[in-house]
Amino acid sequence: MLDEIAEAIQQEDYRRAAQLLKPLLKTDRQNPWVRFYVGRVQEGMGQRNEAERLYLQLLPQTTNPKLIRYIRQGIARIETIAARSRQDAIAAALATPGGDDLGVFILEPMPAEQKKAAAKTFSTVMKLDLYSARLQLPSRGWRFYRTGPLGELNYYATTLNAAQIPCFAIALSAINDLNVFTVKYFGTGDNGPTVRCLNSAGQPGTLTFQWSEVTQRVIGRIPLFESVVSFDAKNQLIRKTQTQDYLWFCDLHLPQRNCILRLSEHHYQFLNGITLTPTPGNAGETVSQNWELLMDFLTHQLPSGVLWSDFATFADSAIDFRETLNRLPSRIDLERRRPSLWDQAFQLYSGLAYWRDGWRREHANALPAVRSS
């Protein structure tokens, strides 16, 4: 019977081989040759994942040299087909419009109890060992994972999302193209709220909009640094940089206008425009207290908007990508003795949040439902 099964497989008559295997699966199911031929039928009928899984289970249980050789050949065939399919899919993605543009690839957090199973898929798709794959999957906040051609990153992102590993990829040029206006203060107008603001060239102007146009808010603290002098263990003078303070920033996304309104406690003129303090004209409020009142005002105006607030976690992974961050204008005007990549990191974080849902809509057919957070 096994010879007949082998002959049917050699002739690529997998249906006949499957019929011949049925009685053996009832009487001799644990026979390693029977199990191997089940894998060969699965492989021949295009069920390569199931066949590979069976081969990998069978290999360490087998002592017959001939069968071991056949199993390894089967695994090699499946890996060759998978590699060719992967190369073809990436080539097709690179050939799409904008496929060779520089992009960034972001991993989103997933529950810790799901990471063990997800790491197996992640290691296969990204060609990592299982231990490294598990370490890369974040439990909280976004992780800036890699840069590369957008088409290739889109292939990885859609493949991983299909396996319930949330991630996305965005072209760096899309973030560069956003118009960012620095808000000086909010005012009121007959047609809706207004902001007195500066454009990226530092030119003043006024923008009138509706609160319904604001789809998202992004908040985060950006550190300010100072150079200090101290003594080391040998009582020698050393100079080092330490964090002096943090400044709050808040971006309002207006996708209908392709722009971001950027507020900061450093630039906002609390004494101008709408009254935020409980007592009008009270000059005794601190900047931090006024900032809290401004955030309360925005929360009242935007009760159902999406809020992105985990910038610090994202920045920890993004700061290492110096070359990529240096390609981004920060649109943040802070008085610094030395430039800081934290400014670009916030610009990147806000831009990624701006385009994330659009990326998911564009690739909706390949993605499972994932809720914004």
Side-chain angles (χ1 to χ4, degrees):
M1 182 70 75
L2 291 177
D3 289 341
E4 291 182 53
I5 295 170
E7 182 180 352
I9 290 174
Q10 187 174 7
Q11 295 172 356
E12 298 186 1
D13 189 351
Y14 299 109
R15 291 187 181 277
R16 179 168 174 266
Q19 289 296 324
L20 293 170
L21 277 167
K22 281 184 178 180
L24 292 179
L25 288 173
K26 294 179 180 179
T27 61
D28 203 11
R29 189 179 189 88
Q30 297 306 315
N31 186 316
W33 282 99
V34 171
R35 295 174 65 194
F36 166 71
Y37 284 130
V38 169
R40 282 293 285 116
V41 170
Q42 290 174 331
E43 182 187 347
M45 298 183 74
Q47 300 170 4
R48 286 184 284 273
N49 289 338
E50 293 83 350
E52 184 178 33
R53 192 178 304 116
L54 182 53
Y55 290 155
L56 291 173
Q57 290 173 354
L58 190 55
L59 188 60
Q61 304 170 4
T62 303
T63 58
N64 186 303
K66 183 177 181 180
L67 182 55
I68 290 174
R69 184 171 72 253
Y70 285 170
I71 294 171
R72 286 175 174 167
Q73 288 173 350
I75 294 172
R77 284 193 302 271
I78 292 172
E79 289 179 344
T80 299
I81 293 173
R84 189 182 304 122
S85 176
R86 172 193 178 101
Q87 291 169 359
D88 291 345
I90 292 176
L94 289 170
T96 59
D100 58 353
D101 290 351
L102 180 65
V104 294
F105 181 50
I106 307 299
L107 293 171
E108 299 188 75
M110 61 189 313
E113 61 271 16
Q114 297 178 14
K115 287 177 65 175
K116 184 176 180 180
K120 295 180 180 179
T121 301
F122 190 69
S123 66
T124 300
V125 174
M126 306 306 295
K127 301 300 181 184
L128 297 171
D129 64 87
L130 190 57
Y131 177 76
S132 298
R134 193 176 301 173
L135 291 178
Q136 294 300 326
L137 294 173
S139 297
R140 65 182 186 89
W142 290 348
R143 169 166 289 170
F144 188 156
Y145 182 64
R146 68 161 55 174
T147 63
L150 183 63
E152 181 178 357
L153 300 183
N154 280 334
Y155 163 78
Y156 293 134
T158 53
T159 301
L160 292 172
N161 271 284
Q164 302 292 327
I165 300 174
C167 53
F168 61 97
I170 303 294
L172 204 63
S173 59
I175 297 171
N176 275 333
D177 290 343
L178 289 170
N179 295 309
V180 179
F181 297 100
T182 301
V183 175
K184 289 298 184 181
Y185 57 85
F186 281 102
T188 57
D190 296 334
N191 298 320
T194 65
V195 288
R196 187 66 177 172
C197 55
L198 302 176
N199 65 14
S200 58
Q203 299 168 326
T206 302
L207 187 148
T208 300
F209 65 101
Q210 301 298 320
W211 289 114
S212 60
E213 295 181 63
V214 181
T215 58
Q216 302 185 126
R217 278 184 293 161
V218 176
I219 61 173
R221 296 195 309 163
I222 296 179
L224 294 176
F225 303 102
E226 65 177 354
S227 180
V228 297
V229 176
S230 62
F231 294 93
D232 60 15
K234 297 180 180 180
N235 206 33
Q236 293 180 329
L237 195 67
I238 58 172
R239 185 178 298 274
K240 60 181 180 180
T241 300
Q242 68 180 24
T243 302
Q244 176 188 19
D245 199 359
Y246 290 89
L247 291 177
W248 278 104
F249 281 76
C250 174
D251 281 4
L252 306 181
H253 292 175
L254 283 72
Q256 295 179 10
R257 300 171 184 256
N258 192 43
C259 78
I260 292 174
L261 300 180
R262 178 161 293 165
L263 301 86
S264 78
E265 58 179 326
H266 180 70
H267 292 109
Y268 194 89
Q269 299 173 359
F270 293 101
L271 297 181
N272 294 328
I274 59 173
T275 300
L276 296 170
T277 56
T279 306
N282 183 354
E285 300 287 352
T286 65
V287 171
S288 60
Q289 289 172 328
N290 276 321
W291 179 258
E292 290 180 9
L293 290 169
L294 180 59
M295 293 301 100
D296 290 342
F297 168 76
L298 292 177
T299 299
H300 178 74
Q301 299 297 333
L302 306 166
S304 59
V306 176
L307 176 64
W308 298 95
S309 58
D310 204 2
F311 167 64
T313 300
F314 170 78
D316 285 342
S317 64
I319 289 297
D320 291 334
F321 290 82
R322 302 182 63 87
E323 184 177 345
T324 302
L325 292 177
N326 279 323
R327 293 171 177 263
L328 275 174
S330 69
R331 317 292 190 202
I332 290 176
D333 182 20
L334 291 178
E335 296 177 0
R336 293 186 182 275
R337 293 185 178 182
R338 296 180 181 177
S340 170
L341 291 177
W342 280 83
D343 300 350
Q344 286 94 328
F346 185 80
Q347 171 73 9
L348 178 60
Y349 181 65
S350 184
L352 291 170
Y354 186 101
W355 291 114
R356 172 189 178 271
D357 285 352
W359 183 91
R360 297 195 68 83
R361 286 192 297 270
E362 182 181 349
H363 299 86
N365 293 335
L367 306 181
V370 176
R371 181 177 62 85
S372 298
S373 58

